Amino acid sequence: MNSELAVRLKLRYSPAAILFTNEKPEGALAFAEKKWGCVAALLSAAVKGKTSVFSRTTFGCLGGGVGLGFGNMYPQFPGGFAQFLSTGKGEGYPDGEAYKKTPELAQRFADDLPMTDIPEQYVVFKPLAEVDRSIEEPKIIVFYVSPDQLSALVVLANYGRQDNNNVIIPFAAGCQSTCLIPWHEANQDKPRAVIGMTDISARPVIDADLLSFSVPFSLFKEMEGNASGSFLDKEAWHKVAKRIPGPPCP
């Protein structure tokens, strides 16, 4: 499956498709059972051409299990998740990440997440170019983008809509901003795009100048259909596109 936007924006990496399925892809990258790993690292592998697969025993870390939609795993955190995200529990427990000022604020964050336990067995990260629409349909498409490319996607996400709030940038873990929250948006009447990978812990697994832009598949198709005839055909965008490394825009 091809993307006109990937060509027009001169993306450094292919968009990745996220699929929820009961079919395990052969030869896909996967974490060892019940071993630690960062979900965001395998998303970065997917945009570079490697398919990855996750299950309820191979999700990498407890936060990754939540971010992939395998249910609420936060009660399993040693010392408590709210303490881990904020001040820490003290000696003998993991250091607090200080991403929230207090445990109470951290707990409010967890309570507000669109927690879900998907019915499927597997979550698959796959290069969009390898998706066969005759037998599978992605739920979410993820772009890795620079500020210039992000600007174009934000404009295009709002281009055909009556309001101007069709992109969100929530505080969330990298896997939550690219999978869990876009999954929730995909089930809404008017799904929004989600800017992500602002998670400080996940930043080391993505290029320093990139963020993620995740779109429910219905919005992805809307944006692809709106590309021709939009600002992407105009001189203002062409001026910006000239400074993006890569092949010239068609």
Side-chain angles (χ1 to χ4, degrees):
M1 181 178 178
N2 297 318
S3 168
E4 181 178 353
L5 290 176
V7 176
R8 283 178 175 263
L9 301 184
K10 299 194 287 186
L11 294 188
R12 186 179 309 166
Y13 303 117
S14 167
I18 300 182
L19 303 97
F20 299 81
T21 177
N22 290 314
E23 300 292 329
K24 185 177 181 180
E26 294 289 336
L29 298 176
F31 295 131
E33 287 200 5
K34 300 182 180 179
K35 296 295 185 180
W36 187 91
C38 180
V39 170
L42 291 193
L43 179 59
S44 292
V47 301
K48 297 174 184 177
K50 301 290 186 180
T51 294
S52 303
V53 62
F54 307 88
S55 72
R56 284 173 175 78
T57 59
T58 59
F59 48 74
C61 74
L62 294 174
V66 172
L68 290 166
F70 289 136
N72 184 7
M73 298 186 177
Y74 286 151
Q76 302 177 42
F77 262 85
F81 171 73
Q83 285 73 23
F84 175 72
L85 193 65
S86 58
T87 59
K89 182 79 170 181
E91 187 176 352
Y93 293 96
D95 288 339
E97 292 184 306
Y99 291 152
K100 280 293 187 179
K101 188 174 183 179
T102 67
E104 292 75 20
L105 291 173
Q107 187 60 52
R108 178 61 184 270
F109 156 75
D111 292 342
D112 287 345
L113 282 172
M115 204 74 69
T116 190
D117 195 339
I118 60 171
E120 295 86 0
Q121 296 184 54
Y122 303 106
V123 179
V124 175
F125 294 171
K126 188 174 188 177
L128 180 61
E130 296 182 11
V131 171
D132 183 350
R133 283 296 310 284
S134 68
I135 58 173
E136 56 191 356
E137 181 167 310
K139 186 85 169 183
I140 302 157
I141 305 299
V142 184
F143 298 85
Y144 272 12
V145 291
S146 68
D148 284 340
Q149 294 161 335
L150 176 63
S151 299
L153 289 172
V154 169
V155 174
L156 194 60
N158 287 282
Y159 174 72
R161 299 282 183 92
Q162 291 186 1
D163 64 341
N164 303 304
N165 299 297
N166 296 289
V167 181
I168 59 174
I169 182 167
F171 167 72
C175 50
Q176 294 165 359
S177 64
T178 52
C179 190
L180 178 67
I181 297 175
W183 180 93
H184 174 72
E185 287 295 326
N187 294 307
Q188 306 306 306
D189 291 336
K190 193 179 68 173
R192 299 171 294 181
V194 182
I195 297 170
M197 286 297 185
T198 60
D199 175 5
I200 304 303
S201 296
R203 288 302 304 166
V205 305
I206 184 173
D207 296 4
D209 59 335
L210 301 181
L211 290 170
S212 64
F213 188 90
S214 301
V215 288
F217 191 56
S218 61
L219 179 54
F220 169 76
K221 291 187 292 184
E222 176 185 325
M223 293 171 65
E224 287 278 328
N226 282 336
S228 181
S230 74
F231 67 95
L232 293 174
D233 292 334
K234 301 296 184 178
E235 183 59 26
W237 169 248
H238 291 164
K239 288 181 180 179
V240 175
K242 287 178 182 177
R243 67 186 187 185
I244 301 175
C249 290

